[in-house]
Amino acid sequence: MKKTLVVANWKMNPTTLRVAKTIFSDTKKSLSKLNGVEVVICPPSVYLSELKRLSSGNKISFGAQNCFNQEKGPWTGEISPVMLMTSGAKFIILGHSENRRGGDNDEIVNQKIKLALKSGLDVILCVGEKERDEDGHYFRFLKKQILDDLEGIGKNYLKNILIAYEPLWAIGVGAEKVITDKQLQEVTIFIKKVLVDKYNVKDFKDVRILYGGSVSYKIIDDLAETDVDGFLVGRDSLSQEKFSKLLKVIGSK
Ligand code: PEP
């Protein structure tokens, strides 16, 4: 059976390692009774090695939330993908809207993706439009963003890339709207087609799409019936009660 991937993006939370350990062990407990779900926890990178030390089994792996676009050298405060990998990360989130807002344009995102893949990490590339227009210009925006970010990245890396569709209008505390299952299905097929065409692959199954944007147990039922391969969860991944309910619904599909 194909497993649904749930990526927990903790962002800059929690403020202590002690609480991080508690959230991690709660997540482990919630997952223990479930089949069909795999979780990637993306904590602040300073917690990676310690949480990795506490992990066992194959249902949980770790991811980083960003990296620098250079491997090593005189870059004060920066962290390279290879350092994140040796600290326990298997995945890395890149192109998150919060980092794009902070200056990561498509060229920088592309450099980071190349370096992360070369370093052995699987990339979760976040893409998404700011707003939707009636004429469907957002499809064009999405296609360009994906193709620019993946410029020069060969087919041999396709298995190491997941696209997380995160429309800005649906993510975070300021979310204006909730995505419908119909909207999600349409855009999932669109993104899969962009990748199938770019890489000339035969099957939609060869490309993996996640959805992120106010994902919660309250709206997951319908979204989980679409062709997405998993979810990227922000706020609700930090609450034991909400995250365990969410995993339970996904695990029951
Ligand atoms: C995010 O910012 O990546 C995200 C998915 O957040 P939330 O689930 O809180 O909307």
Side-chain angles (χ1 to χ4, degrees):
M1 188 176 89
K2 201 185 98 193
K3 297 200 173 194
T4 303
L5 193 67
V6 180
V7 180
N9 180 8
W10 288 3
K11 307 195 180 183
M12 203 168 67
N13 300 294
T15 49
T16 65
L17 176 60
R18 188 180 56 77
V19 179
K21 285 182 179 173
T22 308
I23 302 172
F24 174 67
S25 89
D26 289 343
T27 304
K28 225 161 83 168
K29 261 186 242 142
S30 310
L31 258 181
S32 65
K33 301 165 220 117
L34 298 175
N35 290 314
V37 193
E38 263 176 34
V39 170
V40 178
I41 293 184
C42 302
S45 56
V46 287
Y47 302 151
L48 268 173
S49 352
E50 189 61 20
L51 296 183
K52 171 82 178 169
R53 206 179 56 78
L54 300 175
S55 78
S56 58
N58 55 4
K59 284 183 185 170
I60 299 191
S61 43
F62 293 93
Q65 300 173 14
N66 197 7
C67 67
F68 195 53
N69 60 352
Q70 302 289 327
E71 204 163 2
K72 60 180 179 160
W75 305 102
T76 303
E78 303 294 357
I79 304 176
S80 73
V82 73
M83 292 169 185
L84 295 164
M85 204 193 62
T86 52
S87 301
K90 183 167 183 276
F91 294 84
I92 185 160
I93 296 171
L94 290 173
H96 193 280
S97 54
E98 285 155 9
N99 301 119
R100 290 184 191 265
R101 210 168 51 215
D104 280 11
N105 59 24
D106 289 321
E107 194 184 337
I108 294 173
V109 172
N110 176 258
Q111 290 164 357
K112 290 184 176 186
I113 296 175
K114 284 177 174 159
L115 192 59
L117 290 169
K118 193 177 133 215
S119 308
L121 292 168
D122 282 3
V123 168
I124 299 163
L125 167 63
C126 297
V127 298
E129 75 282 357
K130 208 163 161 195
E131 55 199 10
R132 287 204 163 191
D133 57 292
E134 306 244 309
D135 302 323
H137 290 304
Y138 60 92
F139 282 118
R140 230 166 296 152
F141 171 85
L142 269 178
K143 182 173 177 179
K144 182 168 167 15
Q145 194 174 47
I146 294 167
L147 295 180
D148 286 354
D149 291 349
L150 296 181
E151 172 71 38
I153 294 165
K155 188 174 177 174
N156 53 324
Y157 279 124
L158 185 56
K159 61 181 186 317
N160 306 105
I161 298 168
L162 292 117
I163 304 287
Y165 173 61
E166 294 216 313
L168 272 64
W169 48 268
I171 66 173
V173 275
E176 292 153 25
K177 288 185 196 132
V178 175
I179 197 163
T180 65
D181 52 335
K182 192 164 168 281
Q183 285 172 320
L184 180 56
Q185 177 64 3
E186 184 181 44
V187 79
T188 300
I189 299 295
F190 176 78
I191 295 173
K192 288 202 177 212
K193 174 100 174 55
V194 169
L195 292 175
V196 162
D197 288 349
K198 173 176 166 65
Y199 288 109
N200 196 18
V201 288
K202 290 200 184 69
D203 205 325
F204 270 30
K205 289 198 198 83
D206 294 333
V207 296
R208 292 175 298 162
I209 312 296
L210 309 178
Y211 171 69
S214 304
V215 170
S216 83
Y217 69 91
K218 292 182 189 150
I219 61 161
I220 198 67
D221 241 321
D222 291 343
L223 302 186
E225 297 296 335
T226 64
D227 282 328
V228 285
D229 303 282
F231 298 93
L232 199 162
V233 187
R235 281 159 294 161
D236 280 15
S237 67
L238 291 158
S239 148
Q240 200 260 331
E241 195 200 341
K242 291 178 183 164
F243 200 48
S244 103
K245 280 187 183 168
L246 175 76
L247 294 176
K248 215 164 157 186
V249 181
I250 295 174
S252 69
K253 295 286 170 190

